[in-house]
Amino acid sequence: MKIFVTGVNGFIGSHFLEMALAKTDWEIQGFDLNDDNISQFLDNSRFQMKKGDIFKDEQWLYEQIKDCDVLLPLIGIARPAYYIEKPFWTFELDFEQNLKLVKKCAEYNKRVIFPSTSEVYGIPDPNSNVMEEDTSNLTLGPISQSRWIYSCSKQMMDRVIFALGQERGLKFSLFRPFNWVGPRLDSFKEAAEHKGRTITQFIYDVLYTGKITLVNGGMQRRSFTWVGDGVEALIAIIENKDNQAEGQIFNIGNPDNNYSIKEMAQIVVEEMKKFPCFREKADNVEFIEENSDSYYGKNYADVQDRLPSVKKLEARLGWKPKTNLHDAIYYTLQWYEKELNK
């Protein structure tokens, strides 16, 4: 099977590439602006890489879709700091650029595995905080809160893909990651600009500022998922045993790892103390609180909880998350220890 992966150098893409090359016999064609996260795989005979721009390399992209069996389109904006600052660019990239690729999948009779997001669930139902793929309502906030353009763009892609399946026979599966964490989530450069996500931002803050900032006190809860568990689920979806993934939406998250952002930050500090190279700074870190308006800007809106149901993925494909949050953070810190000592 040949998989065409756009955004292969990103967080999910690089981890998918690593596991797919190690555990399958698939051939992979990659595409991204850079290849710094995947340089160790460039000599692998089953992997081909092209550096390029999704806005400019349209014809080449279409040729690769025609030549592959499965498209995994991972290019997109997924950081709150970016989709608050650049909402229109978020729409252009997450919706418009991916739409043209998905339409080609329908035209060429190719299967697409589309990365939706837990953000599509929007504001949780007050009667049930558990988010289910086929029954939960998707309720978004006011237009003036620009963070919702990301959720809306992804939700529209979900609906268009379903429509193409209904009208043109598009073969598809959708997956919704819930706060995947691990190495390469964000760069320290992004964290220095307050644009990192949870674990990267907290590790950076401990090492370089001595202060962890908890936006609105860090009371928001998320269900953190080790990226290795997530990619195992993604590979099972692509394998599609007994056609159980066809035309389906799957949450990929770990409901047992539902912690507040403050609790997660405390675990990061606790785990950093286990490493001699991090211990002194972890011992001396301060926790401070900051209003979301001053941290992100007035167009930000937060969601108090994200709790997935993963029963469907277990029932159809036999997947369950395995890694607790302490271990996920410890594994991530092991990677940083090696990277920072290079």
Side-chain angles (χ1 to χ4, degrees):
M1 184 157 54
K2 186 171 184 179
I3 318 294
F4 178 32
V5 185
T6 65
V8 71
N9 191 58
F11 173 54
I12 294 178
S14 62
H15 285 280
F16 169 78
L17 177 65
E18 182 175 7
M19 190 176 292
L21 290 175
K23 295 189 174 183
T24 76
D25 60 358
W26 301 340
E27 294 181 6
I28 298 171
Q29 172 67 60
F31 177 82
D32 213 327
L33 288 168
N34 300 298
D35 60 12
D36 53 305
N37 283 334
I38 55 172
S39 57
Q40 66 270 40
F41 306 115
L42 295 177
D43 292 333
N44 191 298
S45 61
R46 288 168 34 227
F47 176 55
Q48 301 295 318
M49 176 64 188
K50 176 180 170 63
K51 290 199 287 186
D53 187 334
I54 194 172
F55 288 92
K56 299 176 181 178
D57 293 306
E58 198 169 81
Q59 290 307 314
W60 184 87
L61 290 163
Y62 294 166
E63 290 170 7
Q64 302 313 305
I65 293 172
K66 187 180 289 187
D67 190 47
C68 77
D69 299 298
V70 175
L71 171 67
L72 180 59
L74 297 176
I75 291 177
I77 302 298
R79 297 183 185 93
Y82 284 109
Y83 51 74
I84 292 163
E85 288 181 6
K86 297 185 176 181
F88 184 67
W89 183 48
T90 299
F91 170 77
E92 285 185 297
L93 192 55
D94 286 26
F95 182 77
E96 290 187 332
Q97 296 303 312
N98 281 296
L99 176 61
K100 68 185 186 183
L101 303 184
V102 169
K103 288 168 73 175
K104 285 296 176 182
C105 287
E107 180 180 341
Y108 298 146
N109 194 31
K110 305 296 181 176
R111 186 169 174 233
V112 62
I113 309 298
F114 189 75
S116 180
T117 171
S118 61
E119 285 280 313
V120 302
Y121 291 107
I123 301 167
D125 186 334
N127 298 314
S128 174
N129 64 337
V130 179
M131 296 168 175
E132 298 184 342
E133 300 94 331
D134 301 316
T135 58
S136 292
N137 291 323
L138 311 182
T139 305
L140 307 187
I143 298 298
S144 59
Q145 295 174 340
S146 57
R147 68 94 35 89
W148 294 112
I149 199 166
Y150 170 66
S151 172
C152 187
S153 298
K154 286 289 193 176
Q155 185 185 144
M156 278 299 299
M157 281 301 305
D158 291 358
R159 294 186 185 280
V160 168
I161 287 169
F162 257 79
L164 286 169
Q166 178 181 325
E167 293 188 25
R168 301 185 189 176
L170 175 66
K171 295 175 289 186
F172 70 88
S173 301
L174 309 179
F175 68 99
R176 292 177 176 160
F178 276 72
N179 294 89
W180 292 13
V181 297
R184 305 190 293 273
L185 177 61
D186 299 298
S187 70
F188 275 177
K189 180 178 183 296
E190 288 160 327
E193 299 170 352
H194 281 187
K195 293 178 179 177
R197 286 165 288 185
T198 55
I199 189 169
T200 311
Q201 189 68 54
F202 294 154
I203 294 170
Y204 174 87
D205 287 343
V206 171
L207 296 179
Y208 296 105
T209 73
K211 297 178 181 179
I212 287 180
T213 301
L214 299 173
V215 177
N216 294 337
M219 293 298 103
Q220 317 90 318
R221 303 187 71 82
R222 297 292 183 266
S223 299
F224 299 101
T225 310
W226 170 240
V227 64
D229 291 349
V231 170
E232 284 183 351
L234 177 54
I235 286 177
I237 290 168
I238 295 173
E239 288 174 335
N240 194 22
K241 184 178 180 181
D242 299 328
N243 217 35
Q244 284 294 300
E246 186 58 39
Q248 300 296 322
I249 307 172
F250 295 103
N251 292 334
I252 306 181
N254 191 336
D256 292 336
N257 283 347
N258 186 260
Y259 289 86
S260 73
I261 300 299
K262 182 177 182 178
E263 290 169 334
M264 197 263 202
Q266 291 168 334
I267 295 171
V268 168
V269 173
E270 179 184 332
E271 293 298 320
M272 290 184 79
K273 291 178 181 179
K274 297 177 181 178
F275 292 79
C277 59
F278 301 146
R279 185 178 301 133
E280 182 179 356
K281 291 189 175 181
D283 280 335
N284 293 294
V285 72
E286 297 178 53
F287 289 84
I288 60 175
E289 297 184 7
E290 185 172 344
N291 184 285
S292 61
D293 285 354
S294 62
Y295 192 90
Y296 284 120
K298 292 188 180 299
N299 291 339
Y300 183 70
D302 214 333
V303 174
Q304 289 309 302
D305 203 356
R306 291 246 181 270
L307 183 61
S309 168
V310 293
K311 293 178 181 178
K312 183 178 179 182
L313 192 49
E314 181 181 2
R316 284 184 167 268
L317 298 174
W319 177 87
K320 291 176 68 174
K322 303 187 294 284
T323 309
N324 66 47
L325 184 56
H326 284 265
D327 287 346
I329 292 171
Y330 186 84
Y331 299 154
T332 304
L333 289 168
Q334 285 181 313
W335 181 83
Y336 274 108
E337 180 184 38
K338 292 177 183 176
E339 287 295 303
L340 296 173
N341 287 329
K342 281 185 178 178

